[in-house]
Amino acid sequence: MLLRSLLPVCMRGVRSAGTPRVMHQLASTTKPALDISGIYPPISTPFDEREQVDYDKLEENLQKYSSIPFRGIVVQGSNGEYAYMSREERLEIVHRVRQKLPKEKILIAGSGCESTQATIEMSRQMGEAGAEAVLVVTPCYYRGRMTSSALVHHYTKVADSSPVPVILYSVPGNTGLDLPVDAVVALAKHPNIIGIKDSGGDITRMGLIIHKTQHLDFQVLSGSASFLLAGYAVGAVGGVCALANVLGAQVCELERLCVSGQWQEARKLQLRLIEPNAAVTRSFGIPGMKQAMEWFGYHGGNCRSPLVPLTEQEQKELRGFFTNNGWL
Amino acid sequence: MLLRSLLPVCMRGVRSAGTPRVMHQLASTTKPALDISGIYPPISTPFDEREQVDYDKLEENLQKYSSIPFRGIVVQGSNGEYAYMSREERLEIVHRVRQKLPKEKILIAGSGCESTQATIEMSRQMGEAGAEAVLVVTPCYYRGRMTSSALVHHYTKVADSSPVPVILYSVPGNTGLDLPVDAVVALAKHPNIIGIKDSGGDITRMGLIIHKTQHLDFQVLSGSASFLLAGYAVGAVGGVCALANVLGAQVCELERLCVSGQWQEARKLQLRLIEPNAAVTRSFGIPGMKQAMEWFGYHGGNCRSPLVPLTEQEQKELRGFFTNNGWL
Amino acid sequence: MLLRSLLPVCMRGVRSAGTPRVMHQLASTTKPALDISGIYPPISTPFDEREQVDYDKLEENLQKYSSIPFRGIVVQGSNGEYAYMSREERLEIVHRVRQKLPKEKILIAGSGCESTQATIEMSRQMGEAGAEAVLVVTPCYYRGRMTSSALVHHYTKVADSSPVPVILYSVPGNTGLDLPVDAVVALAKHPNIIGIKDSGGDITRMGLIIHKTQHLDFQVLSGSASFLLAGYAVGAVGGVCALANVLGAQVCELERLCVSGQWQEARKLQLRLIEPNAAVTRSFGIPGMKQAMEWFGYHGGNCRSPLVPLTEQEQKELRGFFTNNGWL
Amino acid sequence: MLLRSLLPVCMRGVRSAGTPRVMHQLASTTKPALDISGIYPPISTPFDEREQVDYDKLEENLQKYSSIPFRGIVVQGSNGEYAYMSREERLEIVHRVRQKLPKEKILIAGSGCESTQATIEMSRQMGEAGAEAVLVVTPCYYRGRMTSSALVHHYTKVADSSPVPVILYSVPGNTGLDLPVDAVVALAKHPNIIGIKDSGGDITRMGLIIHKTQHLDFQVLSGSASFLLAGYAVGAVGGVCALANVLGAQVCELERLCVSGQWQEARKLQLRLIEPNAAVTRSFGIPGMKQAMEWFGYHGGNCRSPLVPLTEQEQKELRGFFTNNGWL
């Protein structure tokens, strides 16, 4: 197993004083103690006119995010356009973000590749670049053969050698593939697999995963702000939400209301976030998210091609979803 | 609406003694006042060996259900095998059930047919047979042309002439069709359309419907026990749950915990209901539900062909989902 | 088995003199001898302003079709809006059509219902009303339980008691369900199941069915004009084509070219039929087909609600698909 | 175009001795003259026990293929496990294969990446490594935004700068995305886009593409042996068939029968190829193809993880599909 879980807790990003959500590590358990509960923006990558990474703008966004009570950030998630980046770029961004990010914030880095070997290598390098955990998307190109057993084998190999804890990542909207519940349950027993980001939005499935892993300290994160309240209601511990790039404080407020049991207030807020969230995910995707970021004082920047910017009509519709819910 | 159940009955609509069937408020609003919040089993139809309706067994089931705090029952929902019944049978069952059902319980009858005209006629007859409301499934055979506007037109015609309030019914697992959100929102304004049973399980969609109809007294019912808690969390007022045919008291207990704000306890119960519920819906369907009913003292009876009974292996698996969650 | 196959050939609608396509019945085979090769329009049902069947217009259409070398016609297929008709209407139409149809033409009647019992009854009545064969769509409402074995059981029961040969009907665009290949192969052995209308358009599947039933005198009909040539190329013997309601002579000409091996000419014609066919099926459905019928001198008439007529814009697009391919 | 193969070589484009790589005709048309009609195996990549490319075995396979009348080969198609390879490996393999491949055979290299820029770069390098054409798969990770216009933009940019002709590649089984017909038609006008490999198997779609590009010298290749005959019937000019890795001579024989108009014989052969083909594609994927290669004297070798080898049971089933059709 990894060396990491042998390190003192203080070096592993576990929440320090002031937070009630430290997962209590007992001597006997081998499960890494990294508590990932909380809200994370899966940060976008601003590109300049030549589609090159604009590190200055990226850092300015980080600066602005620093006042929001995020638990950490996700770098190189789907919203970071990782699929359009070279290995070198992915690592460089993680390296730079870790340097700028306050120490108490967790950096989760996307390290998934199609092949097991590449994912192992990338996870190792992400750990070296400063990530506290890696988020590993399901390989999907040969989805007809990505059976439960193939996926269990893949993730086991990756987790066996990763220097940092592994978070499973199921995002059927992009991959056309749901990580099967039985695979999740099997993998939850691995000492270096600490949770899952589930972006599918099937609350029954999320509840089932939570139910079947409840004795395993396995942490479920909602993969979108649209079902964040429902996720908390069934036992999720946080969320990685594209919308947090735009309305970060509001998403964190929703977290606070859920965690403190103010469900009535939480519901009111949740309902106002669904349309803006759908707009920056399903409807208009990353170009929509980047456009909305500009309206809220962040640098969205260009996308890499083949992603194309919104048309004027699309921008208008997008804006409507924010204004109609009182956010603009 | 979470506080709703704490209000005096007189403020909650029409639950006054003797009849739940008051149709119209006296004040300026034209929206019918039938409060449908609560839990309903969509009762199954026991058939004998010759696949004929066994009315005696049906009535014995009703007798057993009478001790459970259901708000009412749904007759001729999908779980009643309505698709396999003649018009005469559908009406006869509603008629008989209404006679046996305590007056204070609401009877919701499925009246959906493929054509608008047949649905209008069936809704009228269901009202005459004693239904307090009709549940109208989306027509679906020509789904390529079942556009939002075609469906709005269909439901408007039906609601215009129905003698009892109309509840929309979206069940994509059977129909291959989701009633579009924009159609739901448009229809929610109709004075004789009082709610929707949404069985798709997309909690984001349910939240959005609730958000966009919140000033309309439009009532959303979760269409399955698997997401009942999540439904309440986002503002649903009840559920029509196949599992309530089997574990009726438990589903009502889940309702009570949600409505009274005991979310932690609610979650524990919800999680134990997901597998049994999936087993009697998605996995093993009506034959599974009927088999499980037998184990819990109800009459499941035969299904009509082409539904076939469970194999021994399937029975064993089905039983496992109940025993593993502590229900058997 | 049925009595029917014991009847003299002359009573079973086998092609009389003048047609080269009689399937040779040997004494030893039990397979019914009805040769269904050829082209069939699945006729539409003209409705008047009150959505009542307009029998006069229906008969005028039949009169016009009489000059086209159709092998027969299909009554109460999907395009006949059978899903919107009462049992009485379905039978009445078949009865009337059989009276008007020349004796040498085959009448195939849709008799599928959701329940096995209703389908058995309807098949019997369709035979009595004059149908030479029945076309039995897959039951689909409880599609999650419509397993291969359930469907084999259903069709076997229906075929066992049908007085006329049974043609399987797989139309996933409407039912959301493909009749599985293994079920088709199993059913092809039944002496009273003589073929399948496959509307899915998966030419690989059609080839596989033909391959695996090639020793069984099982006849495959393409369910749409869009893949009629490809169907013939892999061994289909005809087609039931919505487009034949509009461009009947052209579809029959395509048949002639394929059957006589003039593949080059066949291809030219086939390619010009794809867009018009897609327009009257997938894109604009029955309302599109009925509109196009009017342009070509037939009575399309109204649809039953919830089908709505085309908008002006849709009509314009529809017309474009005919004009751009040189048909208008 | 069926007569095409009967024409003198000089009238068919550029198949003159020594090089198939003439890029531009001298006459007025700007469309590149590379004639790609014929059969191509999308060759697999044998890996050793450590999952490293086994170049010796790859070259032995090429040696064995040299006696089969392939038009050329495809390197780094989906079946080559390109998704699991580094850029360097992809280029190295193309380089080596080009050296071993007879000059008159066309080498088509997969060069698709998710980002436009990476695809441009890879296409350039593939041309330098010796490819006569590049096969460019649709980017798909952000499929919700891969609109027709985004894809047209992507392919236009790639084709503008590619030193060799571009072949579009639509493979929804892997990508979850069909390149829309309108995008194909728009792109067919680009002087450096010469055709499409369509692996979806929708023969209506293929016919429509052929119909709408018939004045553009745009060449359609069937992407699988299961619908090769149907493809030729509607005007395709060849095929890239996984099965050709295993039964190369038989696939070429099917080509010969189709091109020479022997449709009856072609059909008999086609039908016997469907099950083996389905087995090495949809059912058992690349591990199935590699296993079958071993049975027929080729080196299949290992797959890269997360692809896992077939279980014994799967091997047995796979073998059955070959023996039942008389190939083993």
Side-chain angles (χ1 to χ4, degrees), chain A residues 159-310:
Chain A
D160 281 350
S161 68
S162 173
V164 293
V166 167
I167 301 168
L168 309 173
Y169 182 17
S170 185
V171 57
N174 287 339
T175 63
L177 187 74
D178 245 334
L179 185 57
V181 171
D182 65 340
V184 175
V185 174
L187 290 166
K189 294 168 188 154
H190 192 290
N192 205 27
I193 296 178
I194 61 170
I196 185 171
K197 173 188 176 188
D198 197 321
S199 297
D202 180 344
I203 198 69
T204 300
R205 171 186 152 90
M206 285 177 64
L208 187 55
I209 289 171
I210 289 163
H211 181 51
K212 295 185 80 79
T213 62
Q214 59 191 347
H215 302 302
L216 293 169
D217 280 349
F218 187 73
Q219 302 167 79
V220 174
L221 299 175
S222 298
S224 177
S226 285
F227 48 91
L228 191 60
L229 178 149
Y232 277 112
V234 298
V237 300
V240 180
C241 308
L243 188 65
N245 279 300
V246 181
L247 296 176
Q250 291 83 346
V251 175
C252 288
E253 172 66 5
L254 177 53
E255 172 203 25
R256 192 187 65 80
L257 293 169
C258 291
V259 170
S260 61
Q262 301 177 66
W263 296 99
Q264 292 265 37
E265 290 304 306
R267 181 194 308 160
K268 284 182 198 166
L269 180 51
Q270 170 69 85
L271 296 185
R272 291 173 62 207
L273 294 178
I274 293 177
E275 285 187 303
N277 183 67
V280 300
T281 55
R282 263 188 252 183
S283 308
F284 300 114
I286 297 174
M289 183 183 69
K290 287 187 158 182
Q291 176 62 66
M293 285 175 71
E294 298 281 346
W295 293 332
F296 285 87
Y298 301 99
H299 298 296
N302 291 312
C303 293
R304 275 200 172 157
S305 179
L307 285 176
V308 290
L310 301 192

Side-chain angles (χ1 to χ4, degrees), chain C residues 10-217:
Chain C
C10 60
M11 295 181 66
R12 281 190 252 152
V14 173
R15 284 194 169 190
S16 50
T19 134
R21 277 176 287 170
V22 176
M23 296 186 82
H24 300 293
Q25 193 186 32
L26 301 178
S28 58
T29 173
T30 58
K31 177 69 75 178
L34 186 64
D35 173 0
I36 55 172
S37 60
I39 300 297
Y40 303 76
I43 61 167
S44 71
T45 309
F47 295 106
D48 63 20
E49 300 71 27
R50 290 166 35 256
E51 299 193 4
Q52 298 305 302
V53 182
D54 189 328
Y55 289 102
D56 291 342
K57 289 193 172 171
L58 179 61
E59 290 174 9
E60 286 178 40
N61 285 344
L62 288 176
Q63 180 60 32
K64 283 175 193 147
Y65 289 146
S66 66
S67 63
I68 300 174
F70 291 137
R71 180 70 185 96
I73 65 170
V74 167
V75 187
Q76 305 294 319
S78 298
N79 286 287
E81 293 173 68
Y82 83 85
Y84 294 159
M85 292 192 194
S86 69
R87 193 171 57 85
E88 292 74 19
E89 288 174 319
R90 288 171 74 174
L91 289 166
E92 174 70 10
I93 290 175
V94 167
H95 184 70
R96 294 213 193 190
V97 169
R98 182 64 275 179
Q99 290 183 310
K100 297 292 172 183
L101 198 68
K103 280 188 184 171
E104 70 277 12
K105 302 273 186 178
I106 295 176
L107 190 161
I108 300 173
S111 68
C113 303
E114 280 291 323
S115 84
T116 305
Q117 190 52 50
T119 307
I120 286 171
E121 186 63 15
M122 184 68 92
S123 299
R124 186 182 61 72
Q125 293 179 311
M126 286 296 189
E128 288 169 1
E132 273 78 30
V134 287
L135 182 67
V136 181
V137 70
T138 50
C140 63
Y141 191 71
Y142 303 104
R143 63 175 59 80
R145 291 298 292 176
M146 290 299 102
T147 58
S148 216
S149 71
L151 290 164
V152 167
H153 187 257
H154 173 76
Y155 278 110
T156 299
K157 287 279 186 190
V158 171
D160 281 350
S161 68
S162 173
V164 292
V166 167
I167 301 168
L168 310 173
Y169 182 18
S170 185
V171 57
N174 287 339
T175 62
L177 186 75
D178 245 335
L179 184 58
V181 171
D182 65 340
V184 175
V185 173
L187 291 166
K189 294 168 188 154
H190 192 289
N192 204 28
I193 295 177
I194 62 170
I196 184 170
K197 173 188 176 188
D198 197 320
S199 297
D202 180 344
I203 198 67
T204 301
R205 170 186 153 90
M206 285 178 63
L208 187 54
I209 288 172
I210 289 164
H211 182 50
K212 295 185 80 81
T213 61
Q214 58 191 348
H215 302 301
L216 294 169
D217 280 349

Side-chain angles (χ1 to χ4, degrees), chain B residues 46-163:
Chain B
F47 295 105
D48 63 21
E49 299 71 27
R50 291 168 31 258
E51 300 192 4
Q52 298 306 301
V53 181
D54 189 327
Y55 289 102
D56 291 343
K57 290 193 171 171
L58 178 61
E59 290 174 9
E60 286 178 40
N61 285 344
L62 287 177
Q63 180 60 34
K64 283 175 192 146
Y65 289 146
S66 67
S67 64
I68 301 174
F70 292 136
R71 180 71 185 95
I73 65 170
V74 167
V75 188
Q76 305 293 319
S78 297
N79 286 288
E81 293 173 70
Y82 84 85
Y84 295 159
M85 291 193 194
S86 68
R87 193 170 57 85
E88 292 74 17
E89 288 173 321
R90 290 170 74 174
L91 290 167
E92 174 69 11
I93 291 174
V94 168
H95 183 71
R96 294 214 194 190
V97 170
R98 182 63 274 178
Q99 289 184 310
K100 297 292 173 183
L101 197 68
K103 280 185 186 172
E104 71 277 11
K105 303 272 186 177
I106 296 176
L107 191 161
I108 300 173
S111 68
C113 303
E114 280 290 325
S115 83
T116 305
Q117 190 52 50
T119 307
I120 287 171
E121 185 63 15
M122 184 68 93
S123 299
R124 186 182 59 73
Q125 293 178 313
M126 286 298 188
E128 290 169 1
E132 274 78 31
V134 286
L135 183 67
V136 181
V137 70
T138 51
C140 63
Y141 191 70
Y142 303 104
R143 62 174 61 78
R145 291 298 292 176
M146 290 300 101
T147 58
S148 216
S149 72
L151 290 163
V152 167
H153 187 257
H154 173 77
Y155 279 109
T156 300
K157 287 279 186 190
V158 171
D160 281 350
S161 67
S162 173

